[in-house]
Amino acid sequence: MHSGDDGFVHLPAVTENPLDRTTDLPGAWSPADEEAAIYQRWVDAGYFTADVDSDKPPFTIVLPPPNVTGSLHMGHALNHTLMDLMTRRRRMQGYEVLWLPGMDHAGIATQNVVERELAGEGVSRHDLGRERFVERVWEWKAEYGGRILGQMRRLGDGVDWSRERFTMDENLSRAVQTMFKRLYDEGLIYRAERIINWCPRCQTALSDIEVEHSEDEGELVSIRYGDGENSIVVATTRAETMLGDTAVAVHPDDERYAHLIGTEVELPLTGRKIPIVADSHVDPEFGTGAVKVTPAHDPNDFEIGRRHDLPMLTIMDERATITTPGPFEGLDRFEARPAIVAALREQGRIVAEKRPYLHAVGHCSRCDTVVEPRLSLQWWVKVEPLARAAGDAVRDGRTQVHPPELAKRYFDWVDNLHDWTISRQLWWGHRIPVWYGPDGELVCVGPDEEPPSGPGWTQDPDVLDTWFSSGLWPFSTLGWPESTKDLARFYPTSVLSTGYDILFFWVARMMMLGLHAMDGVQPFDHVYLHGLIRDANGKKMSKSRGNVIDPLEWMDRYGADATRFTLARGANPGADMALAEEWAAGSRNFCTKLWNATRFALMNGATVATGLPPAAELTEADRWILGRLAEVVAETDGLLEDFQFAKAVDALYHFTWDELCDWYLELAKVQLADAGRAPATRAVLGHVLEVVLRLLHPVIPFVTERLWTALTGRESIVIADWPAADASFTDPVALGRIEDLQKLISEVRRFRSDQGLKPGQRVAAQVAGPGFAAIAGHEGSLRTLARLTEPGDGFTASATVEVALSGGLARVALDLSGAVDVAAERKRLQKDLAVAQKELKQTEAKLGNEAFLAKAPADVVDKIRARREVAAADLDRISARLDELPVM
């Protein structure tokens, strides 16, 4: 058996082997043919269904609910892989595992989807009316919603489907109404007119976290208000809002404007007089030191307006169309902007124009429309006491953030939260449970209370922010506000796994509401934050860039296991991950290698017995692989406990590929040919593979299930025990000798390659030296794996390989006469020499260019220096080899 250049394990031909146990295992692993059936068998067996009456310790994860409109993207695939890894491992460790799935109703996103569908039919939601529109959304949800749930099955998610939840389910709606009522009665929910983020496209208020800011090109216009000595210049990027100005503000200590404070100035284009006020919010060093104040269309101006009791003039409607009577009435805000600037320019009031002017602009996270700050009557949550409790829970360790350095971001957010606007001007969502009476009455209604009725009573038309209901997810899904067995058993949840980008959106909301609802008990013990998925060049994935990778395509091409393995191997806590398709192909090769290794073991009678032979009956190679296995089990456990998924998976990859497949299987082949050593070798080979399959199962569940059941004949690896490190076979002497053997074989192989010998070509060799004497018992393995034959009569060494081992020098003298095609070898080396000379010339030219060195980043220069050193070494090595070859 050997590893070819393609990375696959190549098996020796086996014919009529009475020990062959591969009858139930095809020659190749075919994910498309096997994964769906394996997953359904797991579900039918109830492996993922949590038993509330079990006496096992609980382990709970509630799935971050994907939008009902969503489909599986690579970020989902990463997070689901990590959650599945954690839950499968805990299940094997003897925990009662609940991984609870569900979906979010996604108010704005879902309403937009259905409205677009209606627009295609030539109607609007207003044509249908509220009741019929909501029915239409439910119909859409039944037909198209939840595609992602089926895709989760493709990925192998071991969720408890019997507990699937939806944020608009009756019991979750009851939880939402209960929480609203409780916070309202406690004075933590109130109604007020404030500046909010308004999306003219979605026609609704947005919270701060639903606004994405970007650096956009605009124009900074300086406008002169008033005339003569009493004039004052202000600058703005939103000239259209001047129609709503009700003051100009300056800093109280700014001597330039001291004589104007308390006076009035005429607002251009309107004929209105507005006051000049002194306010410490104004930065005298910025611009002219004077700012226009538009209290109804800017959050900072709103606060200035409140402090100075200024009028608050709304000059736009819900569609951001100008409503002020006059020549600009009816214009869209972006049409009004240049029209107003032109009118001001005509009057000679434009002092300066800066174009282009880069500035931060807020956009709706759903539709990318530029957000319009707007004075509006909305419902708010008073977050200060809730946010303080959310910060305390992390500070005192009830909830731990991984990686710990991201806790600072969390504190920066929760310690500076503004009150949360929770009302949305939508029809799809949880309706605000407030009724208004004909005489100004206001009644908040709980879930067990009858709403007021009669003439003039109406319910608030708004719905709640989606994050309000999803903020209850860790406990509403378990039955709250009722005292259910599930809630008592599985709350608090164990781990929340999510991307660091959603730390503010969702994590803080759940912490605030969970701590409040559950009397100070945290919603989760650990918060694990992974990074974002980027392309192979580190660029953010986006449709416009054309670099989005579809996990479903990867699963079709390479299988779910390869997709999962690729993602888990790159999942360092809090760090972004670059992805390329060749890495998925490499992961598929890993699964193939594992498959072929197991088939080789089964072909040769490997067994999984109740115990291993005594250490005295094992070879040093056996004791070496068992000792390394114990180390890898302990290492993997420690890394997984610390959420170091990438390091754990990488350690398993290298142990499986490099040590088990590339070394032990080859050594085992030699031992299997010895009737005396074969039984123990079969036991060790079967044991190591069985443990490795269990270690890998949480990452690559499908192929490990198929191989493990074939190897052991048992029911399912899902319910197998998690491996425990067994150091009883650890043998430092054996470890050192096998490492020496590996080093010696590797150096001989490298020398053979340098000589241009074919991999299967055998050459005669003598082996000697004190270093070899210490491992002389492994001479058979050395000769088999290095393709060395015994020296015959007339042996004459033409080359010697010397290798420093722990016991001293080992010398391998080889007779290469007739083994090397000198002409072909000289031609090959001359070609390599030309490549090395060209590389050396190019790198030296760059490093000799002072202009290049002055501009190039230090890391680029370092890489070029390293390339030069490699080229110089190659040049020396190849030249020396050419000198050794006889001249033809």
Side-chain angles (χ1 to χ4, degrees):
M1 176 179 179
H2 71 278
S3 296
D5 294 338
D6 56 6
F8 289 78
V9 175
H10 296 273
L11 307 177
V14 179
T15 57
E16 299 182 6
N17 183 349
L19 298 172
D20 190 345
R21 295 169 50 228
T22 60
T23 53
D24 190 39
L25 210 57
W29 168 238
S30 177
D33 295 333
E34 304 232 27
E35 288 176 348
I38 289 173
Y39 187 85
Q40 192 57 49
R41 185 166 64 82
W42 288 336
V43 173
D44 292 343
Y47 297 148
F48 306 141
T49 304
D51 180 3
V52 71
D53 296 317
S54 164
D55 58 1
K56 298 177 182 178
F59 183 82
T60 313
I61 291 181
V62 291
L63 178 78
N67 287 354
V68 67
T69 59
S71 60
L72 193 72
H73 58 62
M74 204 53 94
H76 287 131
L78 167 62
N79 198 30
H80 288 220
T81 293
L82 300 181
M83 287 185 283
D84 198 42
L85 188 163
M86 288 186 276
T87 53
R88 285 180 183 271
R89 175 170 173 260
R90 287 294 191 228
R91 190 177 290 111
M92 296 172 77
Q93 288 179 316
Y95 287 77
E96 191 60 43
V97 172
L98 170 59
W99 184 12
L100 191 149
M103 292 184 297
D104 192 287
H105 66 279
I108 295 177
T110 308
Q111 180 156 322
N112 283 346
V113 167
V114 177
E115 287 200 75
R116 282 196 298 270
E117 191 176 80
L118 290 174
E121 301 169 9
V123 296
S124 72
R125 63 181 166 114
H126 300 286
D127 296 326
L128 293 183
R130 183 169 194 144
E131 185 175 341
R132 177 66 191 109
F133 175 77
V134 172
E135 288 177 5
R136 181 68 178 261
V137 179
W138 278 108
E139 291 168 6
W140 180 91
K141 189 256 182 186
E143 186 172 356
Y144 301 108
R147 286 174 299 170
I148 195 171
L149 298 180
Q151 294 162 356
M152 287 164 54
R153 292 172 177 264
R154 284 282 314 273
L155 193 62
D157 285 8
V159 298
D160 185 345
W161 293 109
S162 71
R163 287 178 167 87
E164 182 188 336
R165 301 289 186 262
F166 180 53
T167 49
M168 292 282 285
D169 285 346
E170 183 178 350
N171 59 318
L172 271 71
S173 295
R174 178 180 177 83
V176 169
Q177 193 173 354
T178 300
M179 178 58 77
F180 187 98
K181 171 72 171 173
R182 179 178 296 185
L183 294 175
Y184 176 83
D185 289 346
E186 294 172 358
L188 294 177
I189 282 183
Y190 63 94
R191 194 178 188 220
E193 193 172 44
R194 299 272 183 84
I195 288 285
I196 50 93
N197 304 297
W198 181 265
C199 176
R201 159 63 185 80
C202 296
Q203 295 281 289
T204 185
L206 304 173
S207 64
D208 290 343
I209 57 176
E210 292 171 300
V211 177
E212 295 180 350
H213 289 86
S214 61
E215 289 290 315
D216 293 2
E217 282 192 3
E219 179 183 26
L220 183 66
V221 182
S222 297
I223 309 168
R224 177 170 50 81
Y225 288 10
D227 297 294
E229 293 183 356
N230 292 330
S231 67
I232 192 164
V233 176
V234 299
T236 181
T237 57
R238 302 166 67 220
E240 69 279 8
T241 62
M242 66 162 292
L243 300 176
D245 286 0
T246 56
V248 173
V250 298
H251 194 277
D253 299 330
D254 194 334
E255 295 181 359
R256 293 173 295 173
Y257 303 117
H259 67 291
L260 294 177
I261 295 172
T263 67
E264 289 187 331
V265 66
E266 183 173 317
L267 180 65
L269 305 181
T270 68
R272 285 192 289 115
K273 295 279 190 177
I274 59 175
I276 297 176
V277 300
D279 196 281
S280 58
H281 169 76
V282 179
D283 180 1
E285 302 299 324
F286 181 77
T288 64
V291 297
K292 58 190 287 298
V293 182
T294 319
H297 291 275
D298 183 275
N300 293 321
D301 292 3
F302 174 77
E303 296 300 330
I304 293 174
R306 290 213 299 184
R307 285 194 288 273
H308 298 276
D309 197 25
L310 298 174
M312 300 195 180
L313 302 181
T314 299
I315 62 161
M316 297 183 209
D317 63 15
E318 293 84 353
R319 288 179 169 76
T321 299
I322 302 297
T323 57
T324 302
F328 311 109
E329 186 176 7
L331 293 180
D332 174 81
R333 55 184 167 161
F334 298 127
E335 297 171 335
R337 185 173 298 171
I340 288 173
V341 171
L344 290 168
R345 190 182 296 114
E346 188 175 333
Q347 292 186 4
R349 295 197 172 275
I350 300 297
V351 176
E353 295 178 74
K354 186 176 181 180
R355 186 189 307 112
Y357 179 73
L358 278 178
H359 62 127
V361 177
H363 295 256
C364 174
S365 61
R366 295 295 179 190
C367 69
D368 202 39
T369 299
V370 173
V371 167
E372 187 62 42
R374 186 170 184 270
L375 188 64
S376 182
L377 184 62
Q378 302 285 344
W379 285 95
W380 303 79
V381 173
K382 184 179 180 182
V383 300
E384 191 277 328
L386 302 174
R388 185 172 63 250
D392 290 345
V394 174
R395 287 188 172 95
D396 65 25
R398 279 172 286 164
T399 295
Q400 297 178 37
V401 176
H402 307 271
E405 57 267 22
L406 287 187
K408 182 181 183 301
R409 289 196 197 180
Y410 175 80
F411 295 134
D412 287 346
W413 182 257
V414 298
D415 292 347
N416 297 284
L417 270 179
H418 300 296
D419 283 2
W420 170 20
T421 174
I422 56 171
S423 45
R424 297 290 180 270
Q425 288 64 54
L426 304 170
W427 287 356
W428 172 245
H430 295 100
R431 189 90 173 259
I432 288 178
V434 170
W435 273 255
Y436 306 108
D439 299 317
E441 302 96 330
L442 186 153
V443 177
C444 181
V445 177
D448 297 317
E449 300 171 351
E450 286 294 325
S453 59
W457 282 94
T458 59
Q459 186 176 359
D460 192 301
D462 291 350
V463 300
L464 285 164
D465 177 10
T466 298
W467 296 105
F468 188 90
S469 52
S470 60
L472 313 183
W473 189 251
F475 51 96
S476 64
T477 52
L478 298 173
W480 187 92
E482 307 304 323
S483 298
T484 64
K485 292 174 70 174
D486 272 5
L487 189 63
R489 178 85 168 106
F490 295 114
Y491 188 92
T493 67
S494 306
V495 180
L496 170 71
S497 176
T498 188
Y500 65 68
D501 58 323
I502 210 168
L503 179 64
F504 318 126
F505 283 85
W506 191 44
V507 179
R509 304 293 193 240
M510 288 189 291
M511 288 290 284
M512 289 192 299
L513 296 175
L515 289 161
H516 194 75
M518 299 300 293
D519 300 321
V521 179
Q522 69 281 4
F524 17 76
D525 298 329
H526 299 272
V527 175
Y528 168 75
L529 300 168
H530 59 74
L532 306 181
I533 302 286
R534 299 185 180 274
D535 70 11
N537 299 312
K539 302 289 186 182
K540 185 176 180 180
M541 289 189 183
S542 69
K543 291 180 181 178
S544 61
R545 285 197 180 100
N547 62 349
V548 173
I549 300 173
D550 185 346
L552 298 172
E553 290 182 5
W554 272 20
M555 286 191 277
D556 289 340
R557 198 170 297 133
Y558 305 111
D561 286 329
T563 301
R564 293 167 58 113
F565 195 83
T566 304
L567 292 167
R569 198 175 175 198
N572 288 298
D576 290 350
M577 179 195 311
L579 277 188
E581 187 159 345
E582 56 263 32
W583 300 332
S587 296
R588 176 197 58 193
N589 292 349
F590 176 78
C591 294
T592 300
K593 187 145 190 157
L594 189 64
W595 181 272
N596 288 344
T598 307
R599 289 193 82 247
F600 169 80
L602 290 171
M603 282 179 180
N604 287 278
T607 60
V608 181
T610 54
L612 288 166
E617 297 179 15
L618 302 179
T619 66
E620 288 184 335
D622 296 335
R623 296 197 295 277
W624 162 73
I625 196 66
L626 290 171
R628 283 293 299 124
L629 178 66
E631 291 174 354
V632 167
V633 170
E635 180 184 10
T636 302
D637 256 342
L639 290 169
L640 291 178
E641 285 296 322
D642 194 34
F643 300 94
Q644 298 284 347
F645 301 112
K647 290 180 180 179
V649 174
D650 200 55
L652 290 174
Y653 171 88
H654 285 293
F655 174 77
T656 304
W657 189 294
D658 302 342
E659 298 181 81
L660 174 57
C661 293
D662 280 358
W663 283 108
Y664 183 71
L665 288 186
E666 296 200 36
L667 295 169
K669 181 182 177 183
V670 178
Q671 295 179 177
L672 289 168
D674 183 331
R677 291 187 295 176
T681 301
R682 294 188 187 103
V684 171
L685 180 54
H687 172 78
V688 175
L689 270 170
E690 190 274 334
V691 172
V692 164
L693 290 170
R694 282 188 283 150
L695 288 171
L696 286 167
H697 173 70
V699 192
I700 48 174
F702 292 107
V703 69
T704 52
E705 170 80 355
R706 192 70 175 83
L707 293 174
W708 189 85
T709 52
L711 184 66
T712 66
R714 299 174 196 163
E715 180 183 343
S716 174
I717 195 172
V718 175
I719 52 174
D721 291 337
W722 181 252
D726 178 5
S728 60
F729 290 95
T730 299
D731 183 344
V733 173
L735 176 65
R737 287 176 178 169
I738 296 301
E739 287 179 348
D740 277 349
L741 177 63
Q742 290 172 329
K743 185 176 181 180
L744 183 58
I745 291 171
S746 296
E747 289 301 318
V748 173
R749 284 174 170 173
R750 183 176 295 110
F751 178 80
R752 288 171 55 97
S753 176
D754 288 344
Q755 300 304 308
L757 295 178
K758 296 176 181 178
Q761 190 173 0
R762 296 183 176 275
V763 295
Q766 286 180 339
V767 191
F772 173 69
I775 59 170
H778 296 284
E779 183 174 356
S781 295
L782 168 65
R783 291 189 177 277
T784 299
L785 300 186
R787 301 293 191 269
L788 304 176
T789 60
E790 293 283 354
D793 294 338
F795 170 84
T796 302
S798 60
T800 302
V801 178
E802 295 186 341
V803 183
L805 304 180
S806 59
L809 208 62
R811 298 183 186 87
V812 181
L814 303 102
D815 180 4
L816 301 179
S817 58
V820 178
D821 182 339
V822 176
E825 179 65 1
R826 180 174 288 280
K827 185 177 181 180
R828 183 183 70 82
L829 288 171
Q830 286 172 337
K831 185 177 178 181
D832 291 347
L833 184 68
V835 172
Q837 288 170 332
K838 182 179 179 181
E839 173 74 354
L840 185 63
K841 183 178 180 181
Q842 289 177 341
T843 53
E844 286 185 338
K846 284 188 176 181
L847 293 172
N849 185 335
E850 294 298 332
F852 170 77
L853 294 176
K855 294 179 181 178
D859 61 329
V860 172
V861 175
D862 289 343
K863 286 178 182 177
I864 293 173
R865 287 198 180 107
R867 283 171 51 196
R868 180 184 62 181
E869 291 172 6
V870 170
D874 285 346
L875 200 63
D876 291 343
R877 177 178 58 80
I878 296 167
S879 298
R881 175 61 187 139
L882 280 168
D883 291 341
E884 293 172 0
L885 289 176
V887 178
M888 301 297 292

